[in-house]
Amino acid sequence: MRLNYFFYSLQDQFDNLEKHTQWGIDVLEKYIKFVKERTEIELSYAKQLRNLSKKYQPKKNSKEEEEYRYTSTRAFLATLNEMNDYAGQHEVISENMTSLITGELTRYVQELKQERKSHFHDGRKAQQHIETCWKQLEASKRRFERDCKEADRAQQYFEKMDADINVTKADVEKARQQAQLRHQMAEDSKAEYSSTLQKFNSEQHDHYYTHIPNIFQKIQEMEERRIVRIGESMKTFAEVDRQVIPIIGKCLDEITKAAESIDHKNDSQLVIEAFKSGFEPPGDIDFEDFTQPMKRTVSESSLSNSRGDGKSEPKFGGKSKGKLWPFIKKNKLMSLLTSPHQPPPPPPASASPSAVPNGPQSPKQQKEPLSHRFNEFMTSKPKIHCFRSLKRGVTGPEDFSNLPPEQRRKKLQQKVDELNKDIQKEMDQRDALTKMKDVYIKNPQMGDAASVDHRLAELGQNIEKLRLEVQKFEGWLAEVEGRLPMRTEQARRQSGLYEAQNTSAVNSCAQDRESPDGSYTEEQSQETEMKVPATDFDDEFDDEEPLPTIGTCKALYTFEGQNEGTISVAEGEMLYVIEEDKGDGWTRIRRNEDEEGYVPTSYVEVYLDKNAKGAMTYI
């Protein structure tokens, strides 16, 4: 009974150990699942941080990109970049936890399960072996007991037969032999039982003092390793976080540094530089004495000159050179002062137009001060409505002449830089194709060298067009910076801007304010004629580059050019055409480098050179 108790007790211990070790493996797997979910959270957090940083990053080639020149917005951009690095550290946490904890523990759990299975298999095998030895001992014992009982019964039967006088001697001898046989079998069973008992005791001793303790020791070591391993994993869990803390601290330090780099004075100065117009404040307004019978004088701020005595007093010269009024374009002002706004005269009916001198010319009217015209121009409701409609338009002049001088300079410089970048791209493509063509020439089997000629020609044309665009915008930029004279209305029309500025909307808005000859008058019978003041503008126009000739023309009649912008021609004279008729009845011509102007289109016969348009030179 005592031995059976030990067997059952040991079996219970194996069951308890099996349950406990399985619980330990479950704990380990639970911890692995916990770390996996932590890594998923870190990845999700990092992804959200990256998306957040990307969401507020400035878009390429957008208005937002220009806003990041201020120190405050640059600090915000630095914060976004640091948050991106901050997100990267959380990704590092996830990667390290996955490789150092999740991956290692997953492999260790598989090994642990195999080891646990092996130990309990050995335990069960040892238990089965000792139980087998016990059963053999029990069988030997029962056999010995049975043989002893049989021998005792045989002895009693022999003694009974030997005491009976009626039994023959043969029967007594037979009973004696049977008793001796039974005694011998009992002795043999005793010897076997003794041997089996000794063997069992030895096996039992080894089982309880060697095999089972060894198995329990291995199970204990296995369990202790599991406990140590999960503890090390928890330390690694903390260490992974601790390793990125310095880098995260650097990110936070950079954010703090970016915040401290914000310079409110610098940002304010950038705003001033970005939005300053370049206009000079108007001068003092002169006192206009209406008690004297004379024309009102015009102050320096009225953008005109006094013409009381028929003399032109320059108001644009001196320190006020290039001054613009904020509400009117400079090119428009020059157009009002210089362009021949009169309709072209009809050709003379006689063969000799000299018979009617000055016949085609409009009679000169009394000149009205420009200040009065400007005041009417600005206070007229239809004209203000017209300007508002232009402001709402999606397009503006190509030369940005609708902007203040400083803003116009910045836009032109930006346009020049963009065109230069485009030129560089085209040149890079051309160089690449040239190298490809050289390869094809050296190795005809690789391709046809003539196949890239068409593309090379296109690139050459594109580069030439872009260079012309750069020259055009550089010319406008030079005007703004004071290196070249201000372009006249005719020059702007030649570059294709006249149509853009004289749209149907502007014409319809201003038709009630403009007379057919282009001047602004209130009465149909009055015509205003202006002349350019002899100021610093004259010096500026001396340096203007001559326009290219586009053909020749022959004067059909004599024309006496008496207005500003016109030129006198004689009948039969051959001249150079530098600008075609734009629909206003005037053609711009040149006699030599110093003499050019407008003549009525009906007075000349034009011969355009279509093959070399814009590239002819005069003799």
Side-chain angles (χ1 to χ4, degrees):
M1 294 294 296
R2 183 171 178 271
L3 191 59
N4 289 336
Y5 171 76
F6 280 124
F7 284 154
Y8 288 120
S9 176
L10 188 62
Q11 184 65 37
D12 291 342
Q13 295 304 319
F14 268 100
D15 292 341
N16 292 334
L17 287 177
E18 191 171 13
K19 291 179 181 178
H20 179 75
T21 52
Q22 182 61 44
W23 171 82
I25 293 176
D26 293 341
V27 170
L28 200 57
E29 290 179 340
K30 184 186 295 185
Y31 183 73
I32 293 173
K33 185 178 180 181
F34 159 74
V35 176
K36 283 184 178 179
E37 292 184 2
R38 166 70 190 277
T39 57
E40 291 174 358
I41 290 173
E42 293 292 340
L43 284 178
S44 177
Y45 183 49
K47 182 178 180 180
Q48 292 179 13
L49 286 179
R50 288 191 183 277
N51 290 338
L52 181 65
S53 177
K54 183 178 179 181
K55 177 180 178 182
Y56 288 95
Q57 287 282 351
K59 297 179 178 60
K60 295 295 183 181
N61 301 323
S62 66
K63 186 178 180 181
E64 293 181 4
E65 198 172 16
E66 299 179 0
E67 298 173 356
Y68 282 85
R69 48 187 178 160
Y70 302 105
T71 58
S72 57
T73 48
R74 285 204 303 268
F76 178 52
L77 181 60
T79 301
L80 295 177
N81 294 332
E82 294 301 329
M83 288 305 297
N84 199 42
D85 296 340
Y86 188 94
Q89 297 310 309
H90 285 277
E91 291 176 347
V92 170
I93 291 175
S94 176
E95 292 174 0
N96 290 341
M97 285 186 176
T98 300
S99 60
L100 300 178
I101 300 178
T102 304
E104 293 294 331
L105 285 184
T106 300
R107 288 190 294 271
Y108 176 70
V109 165
Q110 298 299 324
E111 297 173 358
L112 185 62
K113 288 181 178 179
Q114 293 295 329
E115 184 180 1
R116 173 179 173 274
K117 182 179 179 180
S118 176
H119 292 330
F120 282 100
H121 175 73
D122 294 342
R124 290 189 182 93
K125 185 177 180 180
Q127 189 73 9
Q128 291 174 0
H129 177 70
I130 197 64
E131 288 180 357
T132 301
C133 292
W134 169 255
K135 290 177 181 179
Q136 291 177 356
L137 178 63
E138 284 292 322
S140 177
K141 179 182 178 181
R142 286 193 297 270
R143 188 166 52 252
F144 173 60
E145 183 180 6
R146 185 179 66 249
D147 289 345
C148 287
K149 289 180 181 180
E150 291 292 333
D152 188 49
R153 283 195 299 269
Q155 183 64 30
Q156 290 177 1
Y157 179 73
F158 167 69
E159 292 176 354
K160 181 180 178 181
M161 292 294 288
D162 188 44
D164 191 358
I165 58 175
N166 297 322
V167 177
T168 63
K169 188 176 180 178
D171 291 335
V172 172
E173 186 62 26
K174 184 179 179 180
R176 186 180 65 77
Q177 291 179 357
Q178 186 68 28
Q180 290 179 353
L181 179 62
R182 292 295 179 183
H183 277 290
Q184 185 61 40
M185 290 177 63
E187 289 296 330
D188 293 341
S189 297
K190 181 180 179 180
E192 183 183 358
Y193 172 65
S194 176
S195 175
T196 303
L197 180 60
Q198 290 178 359
K199 181 180 179 182
F200 174 76
N201 288 334
S202 177
E203 292 289 344
Q204 180 179 253
H205 184 275
D206 292 341
H207 178 77
Y208 286 103
Y209 288 95
T210 303
H211 298 309
I212 294 301
N214 287 340
I215 293 173
F216 283 175
Q217 183 66 29
K218 291 178 180 179
I219 293 175
Q220 180 180 350
E221 292 175 355
M222 178 191 71
E223 186 66 11
E224 289 176 353
R225 286 198 306 271
R226 178 192 65 82
I227 296 171
V228 171
R229 193 62 176 268
I230 195 171
E232 291 176 350
S233 298
M234 291 180 179
K235 289 182 180 179
T236 305
F237 183 86
E239 189 64 26
V240 167
D241 260 340
R242 187 176 289 109
Q243 288 176 354
V244 300
I245 286 177
I247 303 178
I248 292 177
K250 289 182 180 179
C251 293
L252 299 178
D253 292 341
E254 290 297 325
I255 293 175
T256 303
K257 184 179 179 181
E260 293 174 350
S261 67
I262 296 177
D263 186 356
H264 58 283
K265 295 292 186 182
N266 181 72
D267 287 359
S268 299
Q269 189 62 33
L270 288 177
V271 174
I272 294 173
E273 291 295 329
F275 298 109
K276 69 179 181 180
S277 63
F279 293 126
E280 295 182 7
D284 295 337
I285 300 176
D286 294 339
F287 176 75
E288 299 182 8
D289 191 357
F290 293 96
T291 60
Q292 299 297 328
M294 63 178 64
K295 292 185 178 180
R296 292 185 298 167
T297 60
V298 182
S299 66
E300 206 176 294
S301 61
S302 63
L303 304 176
S304 181
N305 300 323
S306 174
R307 299 178 181 268
D309 299 330
K311 296 180 180 180
S312 175
E313 296 181 3
K315 292 292 183 180
F316 289 94
K319 297 181 180 180
S320 299
K321 177 181 178 180
K323 183 196 302 183
L324 299 180
W325 192 259
F327 308 104
I328 188 168
K329 298 179 183 178
K330 185 174 182 181
N331 289 341
K332 181 65 179 175
L333 178 62
M334 297 303 297
S335 174
L336 289 173
L337 295 176
T338 61
S339 299
H341 290 291
Q342 301 165 268
S350 61
S352 177
S354 58
V356 280
N358 298 332
Q361 306 297 324
S362 301
K364 294 185 179 180
Q365 302 292 339
Q366 184 179 1
K367 297 178 179 60
E368 186 180 8
L370 183 59
S371 61
H372 182 61
R373 288 177 57 195
F374 181 76
N375 291 335
E376 292 179 350
F377 175 81
M378 295 306 299
T379 56
S380 174
K381 292 183 179 180
K383 294 302 290 184
I384 294 176
H385 173 73
C386 176
F387 279 141
R388 288 176 180 172
S389 64
L390 283 176
K391 186 177 181 180
R392 289 192 297 267
V394 295
T395 60
E398 187 182 8
D399 61 352
F400 304 107
S401 58
N402 58 324
L403 298 177
E406 185 65 24
Q407 302 300 320
R408 184 187 180 197
R409 183 190 65 78
K410 292 179 179 179
K411 288 289 185 181
L412 290 172
Q413 185 64 53
Q414 181 180 358
K415 187 67 176 179
V416 169
D417 295 340
E418 292 176 358
L419 290 172
N420 286 329
K421 290 181 180 179
D422 294 339
I423 290 175
Q424 187 61 42
K425 290 180 181 178
E426 297 289 332
M427 292 178 67
D428 293 340
Q429 293 184 24
R430 185 181 64 180
D431 295 342
L433 286 176
T434 302
K435 293 180 180 179
M436 183 184 297
K437 183 178 179 180
D438 294 339
V439 172
Y440 288 167
I441 293 174
K442 295 178 181 179
N443 302 284
Q445 67 276 9
M446 297 183 65
D448 184 11
S451 61
V452 298
D453 291 340
H454 180 67
R455 179 58 181 164
L456 285 174
E458 289 183 355
L459 290 174
Q461 293 176 1
N462 294 340
I463 292 173
E464 187 62 27
K465 290 179 181 178
L466 289 172
R467 283 175 176 170
L468 292 176
E469 287 291 314
V470 169
Q471 292 177 2
K472 179 173 64 175
F473 280 95
E474 284 179 345
W476 289 331
L477 181 61
E479 290 178 4
V480 178
E481 293 177 347
R483 298 196 301 266
L484 290 177
M486 184 61 63
R487 296 166 66 89
T488 62
E489 184 71 19
Q490 290 77 18
R492 290 173 58 211
R493 288 190 301 169
Q494 191 274 337
S495 63
L497 300 177
Y498 184 81
E499 294 82 1
Q501 294 185 353
N502 292 271
T503 60
S504 58
V506 176
N507 292 333
S508 60
C509 291
Q511 62 183 357
D512 56 339
R513 298 290 300 161
E514 294 186 12
S515 60
D517 62 352
S519 61
Y520 291 83
T521 58
E522 285 291 332
E523 299 179 1
Q524 296 292 334
S525 61
Q526 184 179 7
E527 177 183 354
T528 304
E529 179 182 353
M530 293 285 177
K531 292 186 177 181
V532 180
T535 63
D536 293 340
F537 284 108
D538 296 333
D539 298 333
E540 291 180 2
F541 281 106
D542 291 340
D543 298 331
E544 185 176 3
E545 295 180 1
L547 294 175
T549 60
I550 60 175
T552 58
C553 67
K554 178 181 180 181
L556 301 177
Y557 312 101
T558 299
F559 174 72
E560 299 292 339
Q562 298 181 359
N563 293 335
E564 283 294 329
T566 60
I567 184 173
S568 300
V569 295
E571 181 180 356
E573 185 178 3
M574 295 298 296
L575 303 157
Y576 292 93
V577 179
I578 59 176
E579 185 176 348
E580 294 183 72
D581 186 355
K582 298 298 183 178
D584 53 1
W586 295 91
T587 299
R588 190 173 181 178
I589 63 172
R590 176 186 292 133
R591 177 176 288 108
N592 51 48
E593 292 186 6
D594 299 325
E595 292 185 66
E596 64 179 45
Y598 287 89
V599 296
T601 304
S602 58
Y603 275 59
V604 293
E605 184 176 0
V606 179
Y607 309 95
L608 293 180
D609 189 345
K610 297 182 179 179
N611 296 327
K613 186 175 182 180
M616 288 186 59
T617 57
Y618 58 87
I619 301 174

